[in-house]
């Protein structure tokens, strides 16, 4: 077969991803991966080798090269066995230094090409260039992936297609909303994973003929976006938000939003996401703002939202409250110094300090302990257990505060553990959640000691104005001066850290808007338990239950300027004191005019002024309403009618509570329906070392850099554009140098998407490795070159049959590949239905690589070159069918490459489909099922593989003489009829293949290879090998076969095994025994033959 010289992968040689930590895949795919391509124009790394397929790449080697390769393989085998105990099997695919050198050389060749210029006008159908020009000889992602997306979008292929009556098509509806990326910056690999999985689902459902909608959009992300803009403002101009004022800061954030919103959308388009951009949404669009206002007012009017002065999680760095879900709990074992924003030196944590309070009117003192000494300035009581005999005599007495004029009661409460510490507990109701509840039970005074910026306030006496953690040390010193200090000890503890700013969270009393969650959570639990919503994988469902069962009321208020301002108005009555925490003095309304009406009705005859709450709402309040707000709620729109509830919600498991649970609660509460019928949670992407991706570590990867490629210096330069401090910048730069010494090669969108889909097992987190992307780039090339070959063989006048049904004239190889194709289609649809994306990727990979490219295309050469005209035409028709079907099958993973190649194929008569985007997805066809042909052709493949294995093992490069012994008459007839196919698949070094009759003696001077219990291949080696060495090898094989026979007999002779295991599985084991016994007999005969040869 003539291939273009620039082809990365000569036909018949395997291509595979290379990675230190590949995703879990099926055994078949692992075997294919080990047959990695060794002649790659782009110089990708060569993977490990196995005995079964290594001879495939030896067809063109000289005898000396083969001998050298054999010795090298033996050394490699010994080395691999030595390190097998400590090295994971994934290291079989590690890269070689020789190949790395070639990579650099070939990369330089690629760079020597002139810059590619796309001639197609934006939005027009792509002008397909000849496959022989310099940019199309080899697979180049940027060339293949250019122009298509603009055309798809302009043609409206991504918009929902309705039936002739304007309603959802008979095939059904599939709708999904994109998890809206935050407009804080560019996308990362987590977004790429989301896009790869979701677009696969969307494209698959669209190709199944359904009315399909994938709605895109972005989230305003109040805290994150305002924080990043404030940091930028300070870095560039040394100004704070207060220097600008609310209006100017919001204007600045809108400019930021427009810039990054566009960058995000460009990245999503570059990845091939088939979004309906005509329906794009942003959480602060006018109609979505109306949704937020409407729901807030309704929920307040019914009492679900209420006003209260309660403890919140206060971030002094951001100057706002945050939800429990935005607090990271850092566990420490003892004394630990931690960086805290706003402090030059690290702050000490993990220490418990013991000190005493003097009891009023006595000479006694009572000892207490705390891990936060500064909070003692807000103490208002001492609690002991009611049955603690040590303190019964002082119950009801008071202690004197040493630094402020305050007396504090000693009281009893069952909450106190008398065995912990001294058994006496200091109570700070305004700064501790547990103390807050105890303070309410015993009517203690609630004294706030902190200003919003983290300094101590006027309630702290001489400590007023001191920063909270500076006050920690000053309070200890002051206690020592008064003789009240006892000791300090190491103490394991949990430190609440703001996930946004890394500041230490302070529990603080604040009047805020709260939302009652218990009833809503119960409803959300019910719909999952009753199956209205299916959550995958199972661990995510369990986490969902655990969180909702322990849910607390939700603090909605955020002290920010960017976001949805609460539609709440404080009614200040003339001449009367106002209380910000009193919910009766607040009204909520859709407009200020409506607020006036409500206030006048509540306070008739009184003069008042209205002041709108300056706080904004938690971002998740608007994001939680994303599924129905984007479809037009509260209006009864056609989109809401057609696409709500949506079909699937796909997202990362880490925001199950932030977002998914809230969407379910909001959907049920506001619409009376579930927002989606299924939740699929994908894993999180970590770096190659298993670490969470973080800008400060330098391991956050922009998908554009993977698709387009980027040099190392450019990666360094991108780090400098962020907000990293010098230490973080040094760490991040070092990581980039280690992980990407030569930068990141251009892998393209298709390889990126396929890699991420293959990673998606629905289980543990993903360790990202750029080498996996490079490996799948080569798989893309395999598809590219295979299609080029087929196009060349079909010719310009080829016309496909009107349907893909069999004609009855197909050869065995054709019947086999058609069977494999329809089985692959069946398994693909099942895998995607079950959201088994890794399995689906493996199926399509195996079909293309191991069945289509490495078998049928190889076999088709002989059929097309030496067959009759009728056989040639049939082979071409089958080539067309299985290639066209393969492209449509893998299209949901690889949209660009498949469109580029599909458009070059002729269409069946009557097929007017304009794009593979709209093509029909392959489905199972019973008419193509042929298990008999599958079994027969598998025998042919086994024989051909045995021939290649023997030829390679004994370094027979040419003039190979082979014999096939078959004990089954049907198998013998099959091999006789398919000798041409066996020759084609066995390789060029074969001179003759002879089928032995049942009466022929076993050929002398040969070495055997047992294909199965009914078939054995013999290779004539007399005069061409070292007899003594071969006897040693044959005896070793004989010993292994003997061990296997003994092991199988032991299994089958076990009465317990026979009683418990099904007959079907027992037959599998019996077949293994028969095959092992056949191999043992052949090896015994082989040893005897070699011994006889020595005597000749």
């Amino acid at each position: 077969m003539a291939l273009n010289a620039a082809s990365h992968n000569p036909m018949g040689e395997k291509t595979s991803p290379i990675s230190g930590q590949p995703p879990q895949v099926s055994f078949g795919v692992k075997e294919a991966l080990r047959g990695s391509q060794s002649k790659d124009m782009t110089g990708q790394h060569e993977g490990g080798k196995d005995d079964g397929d290594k001879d495939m790449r030896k067809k063109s080697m000289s005898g000396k090269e083969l001998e050298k390769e054999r010795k090298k393989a033996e050394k490699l085998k010994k080395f691999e066995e030595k390190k097998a105990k400590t090295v994971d099997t994934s290291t079989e695919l590690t890269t070689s230094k020789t190949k790395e050198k070639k990579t650099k050389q070939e990369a330089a060749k690629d760079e020597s090409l002139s810059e590619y210029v796309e001639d197609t006008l934006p939005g027009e159908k792509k002008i397909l260039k000849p496959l022989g020009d310099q940019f199309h000889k080899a697979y180049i992602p940027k060339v293949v992936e250019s122009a298509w997306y603009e055309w798809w979008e302009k043609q409206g292929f991504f918009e929902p297609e309705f039936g002739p009556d304007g309603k959802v098509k008979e095939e059904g509806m599939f709708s999904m909303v994109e998890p809206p990326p935050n407009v804080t910056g560019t996308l990362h690999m987590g977004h790429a994973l989301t896009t790869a999985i979701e677009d696969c689902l969307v494209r698959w459902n669209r190709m199944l003929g359904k009315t399909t909608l994938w709605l895109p959009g972005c989230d305003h992300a109040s805290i994150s976006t305002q924080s990043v803009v404030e940091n930028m403002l300070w870095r560039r101009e040394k100004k704070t938000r207060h220097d600008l004022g609310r209006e100017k800061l919001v204007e600045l954030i809108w400019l930021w939003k427009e810039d990054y919103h566009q960058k995000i959308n460009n990245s999503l388009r570059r990845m091939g996401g088939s979004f309906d951009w005509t329906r794009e949404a942003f959480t602060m669009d006018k109609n979505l703002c109306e949704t937020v206002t409407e729901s807030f007012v309704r929920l307040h009017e019914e009492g679900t939202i209420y006003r209260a002065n309660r403890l919140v999680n206060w971030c002094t760095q951001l100057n706002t409250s945050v939800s429990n879900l935005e607090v990271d709990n850092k566990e420490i074992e003892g004394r630990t110094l931690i960086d805290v924003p706003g402090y030059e030196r690290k702050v000490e944590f993990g220490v418990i300090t013991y000190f005493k309070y003097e009891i009023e009117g006595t000479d006694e003192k009572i000892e207490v302990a705390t891990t936060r000494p500064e909070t003692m300035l807000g103490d208002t009581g001492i609690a002991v257990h009611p049955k603690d005999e040590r303190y019964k005599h002082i119950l009801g007495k008071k202690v004197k505060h040493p630094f402020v004029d305050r007396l504090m009661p000693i009281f009893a409460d069952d909450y106190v553990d008398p065995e912990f510490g001294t058994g006496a507990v200091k109570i700070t109701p305004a700064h501790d959640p547990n103390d807050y509840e105890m303070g309410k039970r015993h009517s203690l005074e609630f004294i706030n000691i902190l200003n919003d910026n983290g300094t101590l306030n006027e309630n702290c006496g001489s400590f007023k104005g001191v920063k909270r953690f500076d006050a920690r040390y000053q309070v200890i010193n002051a206690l020592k001066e008064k003789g009240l200090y006892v000791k300090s000890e190491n103490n394991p503890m949990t430190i609440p850290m703001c996930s946004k700013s890394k500041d230490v969270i302070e529990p603080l009393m604040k009047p805020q808007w709260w939302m009652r969650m218990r009833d809503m959570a119960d409803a959300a639990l019910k719909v999952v338990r009753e199956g209205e919503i299916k959550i995958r994988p199972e661990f995510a469902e369990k986490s969902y239950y655990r969180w909702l069962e322990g849910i607390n009321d939700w603090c909605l208020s955020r002290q920010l300027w960017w976001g949805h301002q609460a539609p709440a108005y404080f009614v200040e009555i003339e001449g009367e004191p106002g209380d910000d925490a009193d919910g009766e003095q607040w009204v909520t309304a859709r407009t200020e005019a409506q607020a006036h009406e409500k206030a006048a009705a509540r306070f008739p005859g009184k003069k008042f002024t209205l002041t709108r709450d300056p706080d904004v709402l938690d971002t998740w309040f608007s994001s939680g309403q994303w599924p129905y707000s984007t479809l037009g709620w509260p209006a009864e729109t056609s989109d809401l009618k057609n696409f709500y509830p949506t079909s699937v919600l796909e997202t990362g498991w880490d925001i199950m509570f932030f977002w998914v649970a809230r969407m379910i609660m909001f959907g049920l509460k506001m619409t009376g329906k579930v927002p989606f019928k299924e939740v699929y949670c994908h894993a999180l992407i970590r770096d190659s070392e298993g670490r969470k991706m973080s800008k400060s570590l330098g391991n956050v990867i922009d998908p554009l850099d993977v698709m387009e490629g980027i040099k190392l210096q450019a990666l360094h330069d991108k780090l400098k554009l962020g907000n990293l401090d010098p230490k973080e910048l040094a760490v991040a730069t070092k990581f980039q140098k280690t992980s990407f010494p030569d930068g990141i090669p251009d892998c393209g969108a298709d390889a990126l998407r396929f890699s991420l889909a293959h990673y998606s097992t629905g289980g543990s987190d993903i360790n990202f490795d750029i080498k996996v992307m490079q490996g799948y780039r080569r798989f893309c090339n395999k598809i590219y070159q295979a299609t080029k070959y087929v196009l060349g063989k079909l010719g310009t006048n080829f016309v496909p049959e009107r349907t893909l049904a069999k004609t009855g004239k197909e050869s065995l190889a054709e019947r086999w590949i058609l069977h494999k194709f329809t089985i692959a289609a069946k398994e693909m649809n099942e895998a995607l239905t079950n959201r088994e994306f890794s399995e689906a990727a493996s199926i399509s990979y195996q079909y293309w690589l191991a069945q289509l490219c490495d078998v049928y295309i190889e076999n088709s050469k002989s059929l097309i070159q030496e067959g009759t005209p009728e056989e040639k035409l049939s082979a071409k028709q089958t080539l067309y069918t299985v290639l066209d079907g393969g492209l449509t099958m893998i299209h949901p993973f690889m949209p660009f490459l498949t469109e580029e190649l599909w458009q070059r194929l002729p269409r069946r008569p009557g097929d007017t489909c304009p794009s593979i985007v709209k093509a029909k997805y392959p489905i199972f066809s019973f008419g193509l099922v042929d298990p008999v042909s599958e079994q027969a052709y598998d025998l042919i493949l086994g024989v051909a593989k045995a021939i290649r294995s023997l030829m390679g093992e004994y370094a027979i490069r040419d003039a190979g003489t082979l014999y096939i012994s078959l004990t089954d008459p049907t198998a013998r007839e099959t091999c006789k009829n398919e000798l041409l196919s066996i020759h084609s698949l066995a390789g060029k070094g074969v001179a003759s293949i002879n089928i032995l009759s049942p009466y022929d003696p076993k050929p002398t001077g040969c070495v055997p290879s047992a294909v199965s219990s009914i078939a054995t291949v013999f290779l004539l080696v007399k005069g061409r090998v070292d007899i003594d060495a071969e006897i040693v090898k044959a005896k070793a094989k004989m010993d292994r076969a003997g061990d296997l026979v003994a092991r199988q007999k032991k299994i089958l002779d076990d009465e317990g095994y026979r009683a418990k295991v099904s007959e079907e599985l027992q037959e599998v084991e019996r077949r293994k025994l028969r095959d092992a016994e056949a191999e043992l007999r052949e090896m015994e005969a082989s040893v005897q033959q070699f011994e006889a040869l020595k005597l000749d």
Side-chain angles (χ1 to χ4, degrees), residues 806-812 814-815 870-871 873-875 878:
K806 287 182 183 178
T807 64
K809 301 175 183 178
E810 289 81 10
S811 65
L812 176 62
E814 292 172 72
R815 298 195 300 275
E870 188 177 67
E871 289 172 337
L873 179 59
S874 181
T878 300

Side-chain angles (χ1 to χ4, degrees), residues 303-304 306 308 310-311 323-324 513-519 550-556 662:
T304 299
Y306 62 97
R310 298 175 56 180
L311 279 181
S323 74
N324 290 339
W513 291 109
W514 295 81
M515 189 165 171
R516 304 183 201 278
M517 303 304 295
R518 185 66 270 155
D519 290 345
I551 198 169
N552 297 311
D553 285 2
W554 177 13
C555 176
L556 301 178
R662 284 172 173 154

